Amino acid sequence: MKNLPQKVRSRKLNSRVDLTAMVSVSFLLIIFFMVVGELSKSKVMDLSLPEKYSDKEFTCVISCGGDSNRIITILLDENNKIITYSGLLAAPRENPKILDYSKNGIRKELLEKNSKIIEYSAALGKPKNGAIVIIKPSKKSNFKNLVDILDEMAIAKIDTYAIVNDFSPEESKLLASN
């Protein structure tokens, strides 16, 4: 056998790819998308309202146990204006008042009326019955006004309140006149 020339084998070099930079970029992208995802969530206040129900044969009247002395109605109007009255508008306990969102405005009014209603209920033997507030935002009021009045309900510790968007003709006239 003849000596055959040996093939020269090329040496394979181990190629190493440095992934340090890629890992750093990946972590930066993950952090970026987590922050963007968290910041893009809308901040919403949960508000559960009952379904609208209408039956032409059946009409329901809020009677509050026959005691309209506990009812306070708050009408939200444009330009941060509030109109409030106690009792029913057909026979209000006092003339409607125009208030604002200051601590000497609606907050003072709610605190005073709620304490008077609690005293009145305690005299009747029902010490835990406080004010019943009906909040009626007009189409001209903004969402901030509704959130502000809900904050005032929490500050005044009024537990029983409802948000209603139906205005009686008398209430519409009251809003238009003021």
Side-chain angles (χ1 to χ4, degrees):
M1 271 209 220
K2 216 172 170 188
N3 283 339
L4 292 172
Q6 289 186 348
K7 286 185 180 178
V8 177
R9 289 194 172 183
S10 63
R11 263 180 135 193
K12 291 198 175 184
L13 297 174
N14 288 340
S15 59
R16 284 187 90 207
V17 177
D18 189 16
L19 296 177
T20 307
M22 185 115 125
V23 170
S24 299
V25 169
S26 299
F27 278 120
L28 286 174
L29 284 173
I30 290 170
I31 291 170
F32 171 76
F33 286 117
M34 287 174 60
V35 169
V36 167
E38 195 61 35
L39 293 178
S40 67
K41 289 181 183 176
S42 60
K43 306 297 181 210
V44 180
M45 177 175 56
D46 291 330
L47 180 64
S48 299
L49 296 175
E51 292 182 30
K52 269 202 161 197
Y53 175 77
S54 67
D55 188 353
K56 294 181 182 179
E57 296 177 13
F58 177 76
T59 58
C60 179
V61 177
I62 298 175
S63 65
C64 300
D67 189 6
S68 64
N69 294 330
R70 292 177 52 206
I71 299 175
I72 302 170
T73 303
I74 297 174
L75 306 174
L76 305 179
D77 202 8
E78 63 183 337
N79 299 328
N80 299 329
K81 188 169 59 172
I82 301 170
I83 300 172
T84 181
Y85 61 89
S86 297
L88 302 174
L89 189 57
R93 297 184 60 212
E94 56 189 45
N95 289 332
K97 294 180 183 177
I98 299 174
L99 301 170
D100 58 5
Y101 289 94
S102 68
K103 67 179 182 178
N104 292 325
I106 189 66
R107 183 176 302 169
K108 181 179 176 185
E109 185 77 12
L110 286 174
L111 289 169
E112 287 175 3
K113 285 189 178 186
N114 193 34
S115 64
K116 287 179 186 178
I117 290 170
I118 289 173
E119 288 174 16
Y120 167 78
S121 295
L124 294 176
K126 300 175 183 177
K128 293 187 180 182
N129 289 349
I132 299 170
V133 179
I134 300 171
I135 302 167
K136 294 186 175 188
S138 69
K139 291 181 180 178
K140 295 178 182 177
S141 68
N142 56 32
F143 188 70
K144 180 185 180 309
N145 294 134
L146 182 62
V147 171
D148 289 344
I149 203 67
L150 291 176
D151 288 342
E152 296 298 331
M153 293 296 118
I155 292 168
K157 295 185 173 107
I158 296 176
D159 298 328
T160 308
Y161 57 88
I163 301 171
V164 181
N165 62 357
D166 295 331
F167 283 86
S168 68
E170 295 84 11
E171 290 170 334
S172 298
K173 288 178 189 175
L174 182 64
L175 282 175
S177 68
N178 291 314

